[in-house]
Amino acid sequence: MTDPSCLAVVLAAGEGTRMKSDQPKVMHPIGGRPLIDAVLDSARAGGAGRLAVVIGAGADKVRAHLAKAAPDARVFEQRERLGTAHAALSARQALTGHAGPVLVLFGDTPLVRPATIAALIGRLGAGADIALLGFATDAPTGYGRLIVEDGRLVAIVEEKDADAATKAIRLCNSGIMAFRPGLLPDLLDAIGNANAKGEYYLTDAIAIATARGLRAEALIGDDESEFVGVNDRAQLAAAEAIFQRRARDEAMAAGATLVAPETVFFSHDTRLGRDVIVEPNVVFAPGVEVASGVTIRAFSHLEGARVASGAIVGPYARLRPGADLAENVHVGNFVEIKNARVDRGAKVNHLTYIGDASIGARTNVGAGTITCNYDGVFKHKTTIGADVFVGSNTVMVAPVRIGDNALTAAGSVITTDVPDDALVFGRARQEVKEGRGAAIKAALVARKAAKPAG
Ligand code: UD1
Ligand code: MG
């Protein structure tokens, strides 16, 4: 349940040096959206009613993105990157005016589940002053290690400050912490920077709180994949793989058949209905909604598209943004559809480009058809009515309209509107010259025979 009194502070100012990128780290995508969006969504769904984001590296880009993607978040800028505690302090204005619990999350830890966050906040109600999400892993390198004594979390030691014995600890800090109301600003002020990196570590809040007699608890997650932090490209790929595994499992659990799940790629917002069949090697880029009973055949790529029930798409189909397929539409191999409505039962089966168009119900579009939607400067619309037979290799130069029940002759270039029920030709008339083919061939053969050898 969302608690309007719970504030989530997301730290997203880091340089992301290890990414070796011109993009701010938190703008790198997972499941087709920036890392920061995934974190904010989890925080919201986990119960945070208020959001603050601390940005720094690439601030302009992140700020512009947040203005669109998370207008409900307050944005603070950390001008120098002096560590995670310093980053949290950059949001002081949000902290001091806030009476409820505070959650701190890292912008580079995108896979934590909302239920895990909700459970963490729940620990505050159960007596903890600070609750922190930890995880046990066989690959702890790079993470802060949790020092637990008698079931209490007493300190966190960062990798760079850890001795060999501490490095052997497998319990790690996810970076996600919840603080009892009013506690955080004070603790942050007490944190210094006497450590290997000379940074203000938020993790020092644990030892300081313990010294003050406060109770810190580590909630150890049982799924370490939730806590993968993205610091370099290999970790980005690892996080993406975890996202994909979850998305595939969820799609199957909801009643879709994935013939070869490991070859199907989803986005954060992909929606598949029941009894959808997805053949191997299909990519769902963002913004795809597929109704029940649809078959997506192998090697298709869909983005920003809607597919209604009973439709068959592919193999080798490409649906681009604005493709809107009604019930029982068939879209076949090497067909690209962009910003076009294709009405019930229409078929576009082979080697075709349909862009900025509408196609009426039951219309059949022949192989090699193209809508010429672009004149080099402007885009124009092609309107094809219902029950039309578009002959193979028809080129429709937009803006143009083909009436209901019309028929276009194969190979036509259509430049003006066609009325209902008409037959339209737009090609050179065929001429047949009896015997002329054989004569040309004989002349050529004779010329070759007459040529001197070599
Ligand atoms: C941090 C934790 C570590 C934990 C790990 C989990 C600290 C000191 N260390 O290490 O205990 O195991 O995350 O992934 O907290 N950031 C700022 N401003 C700064 C520095 C960082 O906003 O000045 C942000 C980053 O953008 C990032 C987050 O804080 O989202 C964590 O910073 P990062 O440098 O990735 O810390 P880690 O080395 O991963
Ligand atoms: Mg990190």
Side-chain angles (χ1 to χ4, degrees), residues 182-200:
L183 199 57
L184 186 55
D186 240 26
L187 288 173
L188 290 176
D189 283 332
I191 292 173
N193 66 349
N195 53 54
K197 280 172 93 179
E199 285 189 359
Y200 296 87

Side-chain angles (χ1 to χ4, degrees), residues 55 58-68 75-77 79:
I55 62 173
D60 290 347
K61 275 188 187 167
V62 185
R63 191 193 306 277
H65 171 72
L66 290 173
K68 277 186 285 154
V75 177
F76 298 90
E77 190 166 340
R79 295 197 181 275

Side-chain angles (χ1 to χ4, degrees), residues 200-218:
Y200 296 87
Y201 289 160
L202 179 58
T203 43
D204 284 351
I206 302 298
I208 294 169
T210 303
R212 293 183 181 180
L214 297 169
R215 183 176 176 86
E217 275 183 19

Side-chain angles (χ1 to χ4, degrees), residues 18 25 106 108-109 143 229-231 235:
R18 292 165 275 178
K25 175 162 74 170
F106 289 166
D108 69 350
T109 307
Y143 293 105
V230 175
N231 300 299
Q235 284 172 324

Side-chain angles (χ1 to χ4, degrees), residues 3 41 46 91 96 117 195 199 202 225 241 260 290 302 313 338 352 370 388 390 400 402 439 443 446-447:
D3 174 357
D41 258 14
T96 47
I117 292 175
N195 53 54
E199 285 189 359
L202 179 58
S225 77
V290 177
L302 296 82
V313 174
K338 182 213 76 167
T352 289
I370 284 176
V388 173
V390 178
V400 72
I402 314 254
R447 197 191 302 170

Side-chain angles (χ1 to χ4, degrees), residues 19 25 28-30 35 228-241:
M19 294 297 283
K25 175 162 74 170
H28 283 263
I30 179 164
L35 296 174
V228 169
V230 175
N231 300 299
D232 57 30
R233 306 276 180 162
Q235 284 172 324
L236 181 65
E240 181 71 32

